[in-house]
Amino acid sequence: MHDLAQLEPIARDLPQTKRGHERCVALLESGAELFLEHGYDAVSLDDIVNHAGGSKASIYKYFGNKEGLFTAICDYRREQFFKDICMPFDFEKDNLRIYLIQTLFNFKTHIVRPENAAFMRLIIEQAQRNPELALYIHEQGPKHIQQAIACALAKADEFGLIHCKQPIYSAQLYFGIIRNIEWRVLMNIQIQEDDQETIKYIEYAVDRFLEGHQKV
């Protein structure tokens, strides 16, 4: 369960009570469930309120409208999605190779989960209609996690572990390692590889990535 502070970037009018917090989260979770089950257009605010309890006044107060609620759901699910994927890198005790391998494996594990995959497809569908939403999701999702990896790579360069003078470019190259898996998930093509085979591939690709970042 999120505490009040964690809802601050998600809700327009931050709930001040435990009950308000619980109502806010219930609307987010109910909205996500209904959008996934029926599609964005088929779900009304009345449907969400009937499912979650409360009133439409709460939606207007916390999220503004249906579009605002959907954007907040994207934020809510993104926070849950990324919190266990890209952990902070400790240069005093962590191994860079293991860190890079584990981050990609975590990412793959999350995107192949049916609910996460379905929500990614829903976001892409809505982004086609709303360029502002598309840009926002890109800034807060893919670009955000690329920045996190870019910071780790830049720090690794400072420590002399690798040679990386264009960390953003390198971060984009790094996530390209699992682009094929990501595309298959988005197109609803079954992933055939088991975890052992996926780890073997990621280890191979990360080793090639690190070889390309050694001083000549």
Side-chain angles (χ1 to χ4, degrees):
M1 179 67 71
H2 288 249
D3 60 32
L4 297 182
Q6 287 175 311
L7 284 176
E8 188 166 3
I10 297 173
R12 284 180 50 180
D13 186 356
L14 184 65
Q16 299 299 315
T17 65
K18 180 180 179 182
R19 183 179 179 184
H21 167 270
E22 291 172 347
R23 185 178 297 117
C24 188
V25 171
L27 290 168
L28 291 168
E29 293 181 342
S30 292
E33 183 178 339
L34 291 175
F35 288 144
L36 282 172
E37 184 175 354
H38 303 292
Y40 180 85
D41 291 335
V43 176
S44 68
L45 293 184
D46 286 326
D47 294 330
I48 295 170
V49 168
N50 290 336
H51 189 273
S55 67
K56 283 197 287 189
S58 294
I59 293 180
Y60 297 135
K61 178 181 180 181
Y62 297 137
F63 310 110
N65 52 26
K66 180 179 174 181
E67 184 178 298
L69 174 62
F70 183 77
T71 301
I73 290 169
C74 292
D75 285 335
Y76 180 69
R77 291 185 65 88
R78 183 201 70 241
E79 182 184 329
Q80 294 179 314
F81 183 87
F82 286 124
K83 68 179 182 180
D84 295 326
I85 290 179
C86 191
M87 306 299 289
F89 183 76
D90 186 336
F91 283 88
E92 294 186 359
K93 63 179 182 179
D94 291 341
N95 179 283
L96 181 62
R97 176 180 181 271
I98 293 174
Y99 171 80
L100 293 175
I101 290 170
Q102 190 62 54
T103 297
L104 285 182
F105 185 73
N106 290 346
F107 194 90
K108 180 263 182 183
T109 300
H110 280 62
I111 63 175
V112 299
R113 290 175 182 168
E115 185 176 338
N116 288 338
F119 198 78
M120 288 168 63
R121 296 185 202 109
L122 179 62
I123 287 175
I124 289 174
E125 178 184 335
Q126 290 308 116
Q128 302 307 304
R129 309 176 184 183
N130 187 335
E132 290 185 3
L133 175 66
L135 180 61
Y136 179 78
I137 294 299
H138 175 70
E139 293 285 333
Q140 299 299 317
K143 191 171 181 179
H144 177 76
I145 195 170
Q146 283 177 7
Q147 288 281 4
I149 288 296
C151 287
L153 295 175
K155 205 72 176 176
D157 177 81
E158 290 180 23
F159 277 75
L161 301 177
I162 59 174
H163 180 69
C164 184
K165 301 307 180 186
Q166 296 287 348
I168 292 294
Y169 293 170
S170 293
Q172 293 171 354
L173 177 65
Y174 167 75
F175 280 109
I177 290 172
I178 58 169
R179 193 70 69 221
N180 182 50
I181 295 174
E182 189 176 4
W183 272 107
R184 279 187 287 168
V185 167
L186 291 174
M187 292 187 289
N188 203 22
I189 299 172
Q190 185 176 1
I191 303 297
Q192 302 292 338
E193 299 86 354
D194 58 22
D195 285 351
Q196 186 174 1
E197 190 171 354
T198 299
I199 281 286
K200 183 178 179 181
Y201 162 68
I202 290 175
E203 286 178 344
Y204 172 84
V206 167
D207 285 340
R208 303 294 78 73
F209 175 82
L210 290 173
E211 285 175 5
H213 286 81
Q214 298 303 311
K215 290 184 178 180
V216 179

